[in-house]
Amino acid sequence: WRQQTFLSPDSLEGAPGQDPDGDGATNEAEFLAGTHAKKGDSFLRPEVRRTGASVSLDFSIPENRSVQVETSGDLTNWSSWDIPANDGIPLSGGNTTFTGPAPAPNQFYRFLIRER
């Protein structure tokens, strides 16, 4: 990824903690999410849909990643979203949907993405 994105595996701009496009996401986060580290408008864009008492999160990630979703009502206290798909098992990549009950009327969601 580093060679492909920065044309050198040793590029200082391509170091994991760098943010060459200034979008607030490090190269490591861009790699995990499958976004482009040199384009500030490239970021993980989950779509949130609410249907009755259920919420669906639609998103796309690269293969060989696991995703866990946490929820919060106040952006301070986070807990794992209690749904079967939210177990951290590696996903096949591509478009994915997590659906479950809405934990509260006003809820925040964040994604924890890991390479597997």
Side-chain angles (χ1 to χ4, degrees):
W1 179 87
R2 194 169 176 180
Q3 170 69 39
Q4 182 180 20
T5 305
F6 299 99
L7 306 177
S8 169
D10 301 318
S11 164
L12 293 178
E13 180 184 44
Q18 294 297 312
D19 178 14
D21 59 9
D23 66 357
T26 64
N27 286 331
E28 180 180 22
E30 301 259 18
F31 167 75
L32 290 171
T35 56
H36 198 289
K38 295 175 97 178
K39 295 181 180 177
D41 63 348
S42 174
F43 52 91
L44 182 65
R45 296 178 181 158
E47 180 181 324
V48 180
R49 292 180 288 117
R50 188 172 185 127
T51 308
S54 293
V55 171
S56 294
L57 303 177
D58 300 318
F59 57 96
S60 181
I61 61 164
E63 63 184 21
N64 198 31
R65 305 290 192 275
S66 66
V67 175
Q68 287 184 292
V69 177
E70 292 184 332
T71 65
S72 173
D74 59 12
L75 294 174
T76 300
N77 301 299
W78 292 90
S79 61
S80 182
W81 191 20
D82 190 18
I83 61 169
N86 198 27
D87 52 14
I89 292 176
L91 302 172
S92 58
N95 296 328
T96 304
T97 300
F98 282 8
T99 301
N106 295 312
Q107 200 67 21
F108 301 96
Y109 299 88
R110 73 178 177 188
F111 287 70
L112 303 175
I113 304 172
R114 295 179 183 89
E115 185 178 18
R116 297 293 175 180

Short mmCIF file of all heavy atoms in Angstrom, two decimals, residues 1-57:
data_model
loop_
_atom_site.label_atom_id
_atom_site.label_comp_id
_atom_site.label_asym_id
_atom_site.label_seq_id
_atom_site.Cartn_x
_atom_site.Cartn_y
_atom_site.Cartn_z
N TRP A 1 0.83 -1.19 0.00
CA TRP A 1 0.00 0.00 0.00
C TRP A 1 0.87 1.25 0.00
O TRP A 1 0.63 2.19 -0.74
CB TRP A 1 -0.95 -0.03 1.20
CG TRP A 1 -1.83 1.17 1.31
CD1 TRP A 1 -3.03 1.34 0.70
CD2 TRP A 1 -1.58 2.35 2.06
NE1 TRP A 1 -3.56 2.57 1.03
CE2 TRP A 1 -2.68 3.23 1.87
CE3 TRP A 1 -0.55 2.78 2.87
CZ2 TRP A 1 -2.77 4.47 2.46
CZ3 TRP A 1 -0.64 4.03 3.47
CH2 TRP A 1 -1.75 4.85 3.26
N ARG A 2 1.89 1.22 0.83
CA ARG A 2 2.78 2.40 0.93
C ARG A 2 3.51 2.63 -0.39
O ARG A 2 3.62 3.76 -0.85
CB ARG A 2 3.77 2.19 2.08
CG ARG A 2 4.50 3.41 2.50
CD ARG A 2 5.24 3.15 3.80
NE ARG A 2 6.03 4.28 4.20
CZ ARG A 2 6.77 4.30 5.29
NH1 ARG A 2 6.81 3.26 6.10
NH2 ARG A 2 7.47 5.36 5.59
N GLN A 3 4.00 1.57 -0.99
CA GLN A 3 4.69 1.68 -2.28
C GLN A 3 3.73 2.21 -3.35
O GLN A 3 4.08 3.11 -4.11
CB GLN A 3 5.24 0.30 -2.71
CG GLN A 3 5.77 0.24 -4.12
CD GLN A 3 7.05 1.03 -4.33
OE1 GLN A 3 7.92 1.04 -3.46
NE2 GLN A 3 7.17 1.69 -5.47
N GLN A 4 2.53 1.66 -3.38
CA GLN A 4 1.55 2.06 -4.39
C GLN A 4 1.10 3.51 -4.20
O GLN A 4 0.98 4.26 -5.16
CB GLN A 4 0.35 1.13 -4.32
CG GLN A 4 -0.70 1.41 -5.36
CD GLN A 4 -1.87 0.44 -5.22
OE1 GLN A 4 -2.09 -0.16 -4.17
NE2 GLN A 4 -2.63 0.30 -6.28
N THR A 5 0.88 3.93 -2.97
CA THR A 5 0.37 5.27 -2.69
C THR A 5 1.44 6.35 -2.78
O THR A 5 1.20 7.44 -3.31
CB THR A 5 -0.30 5.31 -1.31
OG1 THR A 5 -1.30 4.30 -1.25
CG2 THR A 5 -0.93 6.65 -1.02
N PHE A 6 2.63 6.06 -2.27
CA PHE A 6 3.67 7.08 -2.17
C PHE A 6 4.87 6.82 -3.09
O PHE A 6 5.85 7.55 -3.05
CB PHE A 6 4.15 7.20 -0.72
CG PHE A 6 3.04 7.62 0.21
CD1 PHE A 6 2.38 6.69 0.97
CD2 PHE A 6 2.65 8.94 0.28
CE1 PHE A 6 1.34 7.06 1.81
CE2 PHE A 6 1.61 9.33 1.11
CZ PHE A 6 0.96 8.39 1.87
N LEU A 7 4.80 5.77 -3.90
CA LEU A 7 5.82 5.42 -4.88
C LEU A 7 7.16 5.06 -4.26
O LEU A 7 8.18 5.03 -4.94
CB LEU A 7 5.99 6.52 -5.93
CG LEU A 7 4.69 6.93 -6.65
CD1 LEU A 7 4.97 8.07 -7.62
CD2 LEU A 7 4.07 5.74 -7.35
N SER A 8 7.17 4.82 -2.95
CA SER A 8 8.39 4.39 -2.26
C SER A 8 7.99 3.76 -0.93
O SER A 8 7.22 4.35 -0.17
CB SER A 8 9.30 5.58 -1.99
OG SER A 8 10.33 5.21 -1.09
N PRO A 9 8.53 2.58 -0.62
CA PRO A 9 8.21 1.97 0.68
C PRO A 9 8.86 2.70 1.86
O PRO A 9 8.50 2.48 3.00
CB PRO A 9 8.75 0.55 0.55
CG PRO A 9 9.84 0.65 -0.47
CD PRO A 9 9.42 1.74 -1.42
N ASP A 10 9.81 3.59 1.56
CA ASP A 10 10.54 4.30 2.62
C ASP A 10 10.18 5.77 2.72
O ASP A 10 10.81 6.52 3.47
CB ASP A 10 12.05 4.16 2.37
CG ASP A 10 12.48 2.71 2.34
OD1 ASP A 10 12.00 1.93 3.18
OD2 ASP A 10 13.28 2.36 1.45
N SER A 11 9.16 6.21 2.00
CA SER A 11 8.76 7.62 2.00
C SER A 11 8.38 8.07 3.41
O SER A 11 7.58 7.42 4.09
CB SER A 11 7.57 7.81 1.06
OG SER A 11 6.95 9.04 1.30
N LEU A 12 8.96 9.18 3.86
CA LEU A 12 8.60 9.73 5.16
C LEU A 12 7.15 10.18 5.17
O LEU A 12 6.46 10.08 6.18
CB LEU A 12 9.52 10.90 5.53
CG LEU A 12 10.98 10.53 5.79
CD1 LEU A 12 11.80 11.78 6.11
CD2 LEU A 12 11.09 9.52 6.91
N GLU A 13 6.68 10.71 4.04
CA GLU A 13 5.28 11.12 3.90
C GLU A 13 4.34 9.92 4.11
O GLU A 13 3.23 10.08 4.58
CB GLU A 13 5.06 11.72 2.52
CG GLU A 13 3.66 12.19 2.27
CD GLU A 13 3.45 12.70 0.85
OE1 GLU A 13 3.91 12.06 -0.11
OE2 GLU A 13 2.81 13.76 0.72
N GLY A 14 4.82 8.73 3.79
CA GLY A 14 4.00 7.53 3.89
C GLY A 14 4.10 6.80 5.22
O GLY A 14 3.52 5.73 5.38
N ALA A 15 4.79 7.37 6.20
CA ALA A 15 4.90 6.73 7.52
C ALA A 15 3.52 6.58 8.14
O ALA A 15 2.63 7.41 7.92
CB ALA A 15 5.82 7.54 8.43
N PRO A 16 3.30 5.51 8.92
CA PRO A 16 1.96 5.24 9.47
C PRO A 16 1.30 6.39 10.22
O PRO A 16 0.10 6.59 10.12
CB PRO A 16 2.21 4.05 10.41
CG PRO A 16 3.41 3.38 9.85
CD PRO A 16 4.27 4.47 9.28
N GLY A 17 2.05 7.19 10.95
CA GLY A 17 1.46 8.26 11.75
C GLY A 17 1.27 9.59 11.01
O GLY A 17 0.74 10.53 11.59
N GLN A 18 1.70 9.67 9.76
CA GLN A 18 1.60 10.91 8.99
C GLN A 18 0.19 11.11 8.43
O GLN A 18 -0.57 10.16 8.27
CB GLN A 18 2.61 10.91 7.84
CG GLN A 18 4.05 10.94 8.29
CD GLN A 18 4.37 12.20 9.06
OE1 GLN A 18 4.06 13.31 8.65
NE2 GLN A 18 5.01 12.04 10.22
N ASP A 19 -0.14 12.35 8.11
CA ASP A 19 -1.43 12.72 7.53
C ASP A 19 -1.17 13.67 6.36
O ASP A 19 -1.39 14.87 6.46
CB ASP A 19 -2.31 13.37 8.59
CG ASP A 19 -3.66 13.82 8.06
OD1 ASP A 19 -4.05 13.41 6.95
OD2 ASP A 19 -4.32 14.62 8.76
N PRO A 20 -0.68 13.14 5.21
CA PRO A 20 -0.27 14.02 4.12
C PRO A 20 -1.38 14.86 3.49
O PRO A 20 -1.11 15.92 2.94
CB PRO A 20 0.35 13.07 3.10
CG PRO A 20 -0.16 11.74 3.43
CD PRO A 20 -0.44 11.74 4.90
N ASP A 21 -2.63 14.42 3.58
CA ASP A 21 -3.71 15.21 2.98
C ASP A 21 -4.39 16.13 3.99
O ASP A 21 -5.30 16.88 3.65
CB ASP A 21 -4.74 14.33 2.28
CG ASP A 21 -5.40 13.31 3.19
OD1 ASP A 21 -5.20 13.38 4.42
OD2 ASP A 21 -6.12 12.44 2.68
N GLY A 22 -3.96 16.09 5.26
CA GLY A 22 -4.46 17.00 6.28
C GLY A 22 -5.92 16.81 6.66
O GLY A 22 -6.55 17.72 7.17
N ASP A 23 -6.45 15.61 6.45
CA ASP A 23 -7.87 15.37 6.76
C ASP A 23 -8.12 14.87 8.17
O ASP A 23 -9.24 14.58 8.56
CB ASP A 23 -8.49 14.42 5.75
CG ASP A 23 -7.91 13.01 5.81
OD1 ASP A 23 -6.97 12.76 6.60
OD2 ASP A 23 -8.39 12.15 5.05
N GLY A 24 -7.06 14.73 8.98
CA GLY A 24 -7.21 14.27 10.35
C GLY A 24 -7.10 12.77 10.52
O GLY A 24 -7.12 12.27 11.63
N ALA A 25 -6.96 12.03 9.42
CA ALA A 25 -6.80 10.57 9.48
C ALA A 25 -5.35 10.22 9.14
O ALA A 25 -4.83 10.67 8.11
CB ALA A 25 -7.75 9.88 8.51
N THR A 26 -4.70 9.45 9.98
CA THR A 26 -3.33 9.04 9.72
C THR A 26 -3.29 8.07 8.55
O THR A 26 -4.31 7.49 8.15
CB THR A 26 -2.72 8.35 10.95
OG1 THR A 26 -3.44 7.13 11.20
CG2 THR A 26 -2.73 9.25 12.17
N ASN A 27 -2.10 7.85 8.01
CA ASN A 27 -1.93 6.86 6.94
C ASN A 27 -2.40 5.49 7.40
O ASN A 27 -2.99 4.74 6.61
CB ASN A 27 -0.47 6.79 6.50
CG ASN A 27 -0.07 7.98 5.67
OD1 ASN A 27 -0.88 8.58 4.98
ND2 ASN A 27 1.21 8.33 5.72
N GLU A 28 -2.15 5.14 8.65
CA GLU A 28 -2.60 3.85 9.16
C GLU A 28 -4.12 3.75 9.10
O GLU A 28 -4.67 2.74 8.67
CB GLU A 28 -2.11 3.64 10.59
CG GLU A 28 -2.55 2.31 11.17
CD GLU A 28 -2.07 2.09 12.58
OE1 GLU A 28 -1.76 3.07 13.29
OE2 GLU A 28 -2.01 0.92 12.99
N ALA A 29 -4.82 4.79 9.53
CA ALA A 29 -6.28 4.79 9.49
C ALA A 29 -6.79 4.74 8.05
O ALA A 29 -7.76 4.04 7.75
CB ALA A 29 -6.84 6.02 10.22
N GLU A 30 -6.13 5.48 7.14
CA GLU A 30 -6.52 5.47 5.73
C GLU A 30 -6.33 4.07 5.14
O GLU A 30 -7.18 3.58 4.39
CB GLU A 30 -5.70 6.50 4.94
CG GLU A 30 -5.85 7.91 5.43
CD GLU A 30 -6.79 8.78 4.62
OE1 GLU A 30 -7.60 8.24 3.86
OE2 GLU A 30 -6.69 10.00 4.75
N PHE A 31 -5.23 3.42 5.46
CA PHE A 31 -4.97 2.07 4.99
C PHE A 31 -6.06 1.11 5.47
O PHE A 31 -6.62 0.34 4.69
CB PHE A 31 -3.59 1.59 5.47
CG PHE A 31 -3.37 0.12 5.31
CD1 PHE A 31 -3.12 -0.43 4.06
CD2 PHE A 31 -3.43 -0.73 6.41
CE1 PHE A 31 -2.93 -1.80 3.91
CE2 PHE A 31 -3.24 -2.10 6.27
CZ PHE A 31 -2.98 -2.63 5.01
N LEU A 32 -6.36 1.16 6.75
CA LEU A 32 -7.36 0.24 7.31
C LEU A 32 -8.74 0.46 6.70
O LEU A 32 -9.48 -0.49 6.45
CB LEU A 32 -7.42 0.38 8.83
CG LEU A 32 -6.21 -0.16 9.58
CD1 LEU A 32 -6.28 0.24 11.05
CD2 LEU A 32 -6.10 -1.66 9.42
N ALA A 33 -9.11 1.72 6.47
CA ALA A 33 -10.44 2.04 5.93
C ALA A 33 -10.51 1.89 4.41
O ALA A 33 -11.59 1.90 3.83
CB ALA A 33 -10.83 3.46 6.32
N GLY A 34 -9.35 1.78 3.76
CA GLY A 34 -9.34 1.66 2.31
C GLY A 34 -9.56 2.99 1.61
O GLY A 34 -10.03 3.04 0.48
N THR A 35 -9.21 4.08 2.27
CA THR A 35 -9.37 5.41 1.68
C THR A 35 -8.02 5.87 1.14
O THR A 35 -6.99 5.25 1.38
CB THR A 35 -9.92 6.40 2.71
OG1 THR A 35 -9.07 6.42 3.86
CG2 THR A 35 -11.33 5.99 3.15
N HIS A 36 -7.99 6.98 0.42
CA HIS A 36 -6.77 7.45 -0.22
C HIS A 36 -6.07 8.48 0.67
O HIS A 36 -6.63 9.53 0.98
CB HIS A 36 -7.08 8.05 -1.59
CG HIS A 36 -5.87 8.14 -2.46
ND1 HIS A 36 -4.86 9.04 -2.22
CD2 HIS A 36 -5.50 7.43 -3.55
CE1 HIS A 36 -3.92 8.89 -3.14
NE2 HIS A 36 -4.29 7.92 -3.97
N ALA A 37 -4.84 8.19 1.02
CA ALA A 37 -4.08 9.01 1.96
C ALA A 37 -3.68 10.37 1.42
O ALA A 37 -3.24 11.24 2.17
CB ALA A 37 -2.83 8.27 2.41
N LYS A 38 -3.80 10.58 0.11
CA LYS A 38 -3.39 11.86 -0.47
C LYS A 38 -4.57 12.67 -1.00
O LYS A 38 -4.39 13.66 -1.68
CB LYS A 38 -2.38 11.61 -1.59
CG LYS A 38 -1.07 11.00 -1.06
CD LYS A 38 -0.14 10.64 -2.17
CE LYS A 38 0.86 11.75 -2.35
NZ LYS A 38 1.85 11.43 -3.40
N LYS A 39 -5.78 12.24 -0.65
CA LYS A 39 -6.99 12.97 -1.07
C LYS A 39 -7.83 13.27 0.16
O LYS A 39 -8.41 12.37 0.76
CB LYS A 39 -7.79 12.14 -2.07
CG LYS A 39 -7.07 11.89 -3.38
CD LYS A 39 -7.93 11.10 -4.33
CE LYS A 39 -7.18 10.85 -5.63
NZ LYS A 39 -7.95 10.02 -6.54
N GLY A 40 -7.91 14.53 0.53
CA GLY A 40 -8.61 14.94 1.73
C GLY A 40 -10.10 14.64 1.72
O GLY A 40 -10.73 14.58 2.77
N ASP A 41 -10.69 14.44 0.54
CA ASP A 41 -12.13 14.14 0.48
C ASP A 41 -12.40 12.64 0.43
O ASP A 41 -13.52 12.22 0.21
CB ASP A 41 -12.77 14.84 -0.72
CG ASP A 41 -12.20 14.35 -2.05
OD1 ASP A 41 -11.17 13.65 -2.06
OD2 ASP A 41 -12.80 14.69 -3.09
N SER A 42 -11.38 11.84 0.66
CA SER A 42 -11.54 10.38 0.65
C SER A 42 -11.59 9.89 2.10
O SER A 42 -10.59 9.95 2.82
CB SER A 42 -10.35 9.74 -0.08
OG SER A 42 -10.40 8.35 0.02
N PHE A 43 -12.77 9.44 2.53
CA PHE A 43 -12.89 8.94 3.89
C PHE A 43 -14.00 7.91 3.96
O PHE A 43 -14.85 7.84 3.07
CB PHE A 43 -13.11 10.07 4.91
CG PHE A 43 -14.24 11.01 4.57
CD1 PHE A 43 -15.51 10.77 5.02
CD2 PHE A 43 -14.01 12.14 3.79
CE1 PHE A 43 -16.55 11.63 4.71
CE2 PHE A 43 -15.04 13.00 3.48
CZ PHE A 43 -16.32 12.74 3.94
N LEU A 44 -14.00 7.11 5.01
CA LEU A 44 -15.04 6.09 5.21
C LEU A 44 -16.37 6.80 5.38
O LEU A 44 -16.50 7.70 6.21
CB LEU A 44 -14.71 5.26 6.45
CG LEU A 44 -15.66 4.11 6.77
CD1 LEU A 44 -15.62 3.06 5.67
CD2 LEU A 44 -15.29 3.47 8.10
N ARG A 45 -17.35 6.42 4.57
CA ARG A 45 -18.64 7.10 4.57
C ARG A 45 -19.77 6.11 4.86
O ARG A 45 -20.50 5.71 3.95
CB ARG A 45 -18.89 7.75 3.22
CG ARG A 45 -17.91 8.83 2.93
CD ARG A 45 -18.13 9.43 1.57
NE ARG A 45 -17.10 10.45 1.40
CZ ARG A 45 -16.70 10.90 0.26
NH1 ARG A 45 -17.21 10.44 -0.84
NH2 ARG A 45 -15.76 11.82 0.20
N PRO A 46 -19.93 5.73 6.11
CA PRO A 46 -21.05 4.84 6.41
C PRO A 46 -22.38 5.58 6.23
O PRO A 46 -22.48 6.77 6.48
CB PRO A 46 -20.84 4.45 7.87
CG PRO A 46 -19.92 5.47 8.42
CD PRO A 46 -19.15 6.06 7.28
N GLU A 47 -23.36 4.85 5.76
CA GLU A 47 -24.71 5.41 5.64
C GLU A 47 -25.54 4.84 6.79
O GLU A 47 -25.55 3.63 7.01
CB GLU A 47 -25.33 5.00 4.30
CG GLU A 47 -26.73 5.54 4.11
CD GLU A 47 -27.34 5.11 2.79
OE1 GLU A 47 -26.61 5.01 1.80
OE2 GLU A 47 -28.56 4.85 2.78
N VAL A 48 -26.20 5.70 7.51
CA VAL A 48 -27.03 5.29 8.64
C VAL A 48 -28.49 5.39 8.21
O VAL A 48 -28.94 6.43 7.76
CB VAL A 48 -26.78 6.19 9.88
CG1 VAL A 48 -27.66 5.76 11.04
CG2 VAL A 48 -25.32 6.19 10.25
N ARG A 49 -29.21 4.27 8.35
CA ARG A 49 -30.64 4.25 8.02
C ARG A 49 -31.40 3.76 9.25
O ARG A 49 -31.05 2.77 9.86
CB ARG A 49 -30.93 3.29 6.86
CG ARG A 49 -30.37 3.75 5.54
CD ARG A 49 -30.69 2.76 4.43
NE ARG A 49 -29.88 1.54 4.57
CZ ARG A 49 -30.35 0.32 4.78
NH1 ARG A 49 -31.66 0.12 4.87
NH2 ARG A 49 -29.55 -0.70 4.89
N ARG A 50 -32.44 4.49 9.58
CA ARG A 50 -33.29 4.10 10.71
C ARG A 50 -34.65 3.69 10.16
O ARG A 50 -35.28 4.43 9.41
CB ARG A 50 -33.44 5.24 11.69
CG ARG A 50 -34.15 4.80 12.94
CD ARG A 50 -34.12 5.90 13.99
NE ARG A 50 -34.72 5.37 15.19
CZ ARG A 50 -34.17 5.38 16.37
NH1 ARG A 50 -33.01 5.94 16.53
NH2 ARG A 50 -34.78 4.87 17.40
N THR A 51 -35.09 2.50 10.55
CA THR A 51 -36.40 1.99 10.15
C THR A 51 -37.10 1.49 11.41
O THR A 51 -36.73 0.46 11.95
CB THR A 51 -36.25 0.82 9.14
OG1 THR A 51 -35.41 1.23 8.07
CG2 THR A 51 -37.59 0.39 8.61
N GLY A 52 -38.06 2.27 11.87
CA GLY A 52 -38.75 1.91 13.12
C GLY A 52 -37.76 1.90 14.27
O GLY A 52 -37.07 2.87 14.52
N ALA A 53 -37.66 0.77 14.95
CA ALA A 53 -36.77 0.64 16.09
C ALA A 53 -35.40 0.08 15.71
O ALA A 53 -34.58 -0.20 16.57
CB ALA A 53 -37.40 -0.26 17.15
N SER A 54 -35.15 -0.10 14.40
CA SER A 54 -33.88 -0.66 13.93
C SER A 54 -33.02 0.40 13.25
O SER A 54 -33.53 1.35 12.67
CB SER A 54 -34.13 -1.79 12.94
OG SER A 54 -34.73 -2.88 13.57
N VAL A 55 -31.72 0.16 13.31
CA VAL A 55 -30.74 1.00 12.63
C VAL A 55 -29.88 0.10 11.76
O VAL A 55 -29.49 -0.99 12.18
CB VAL A 55 -29.84 1.74 13.64
CG1 VAL A 55 -28.69 2.44 12.95
CG2 VAL A 55 -30.65 2.73 14.44
N SER A 56 -29.59 0.56 10.54
CA SER A 56 -28.67 -0.15 9.65
C SER A 56 -27.51 0.77 9.32
O SER A 56 -27.71 1.96 9.05
CB SER A 56 -29.36 -0.57 8.36
OG SER A 56 -30.35 -1.52 8.62
N LEU A 57 -26.30 0.23 9.38
CA LEU A 57 -25.10 0.95 8.99
C LEU A 57 -24.55 0.26 7.75
O LEU A 57 -24.17 -0.91 7.80
CB LEU A 57 -24.05 0.92 10.10
CG LEU A 57 -24.47 1.47 11.46
CD1 LEU A 57 -23.34 1.29 12.46
CD2 LEU A 57 -24.84 2.93 11.35
#
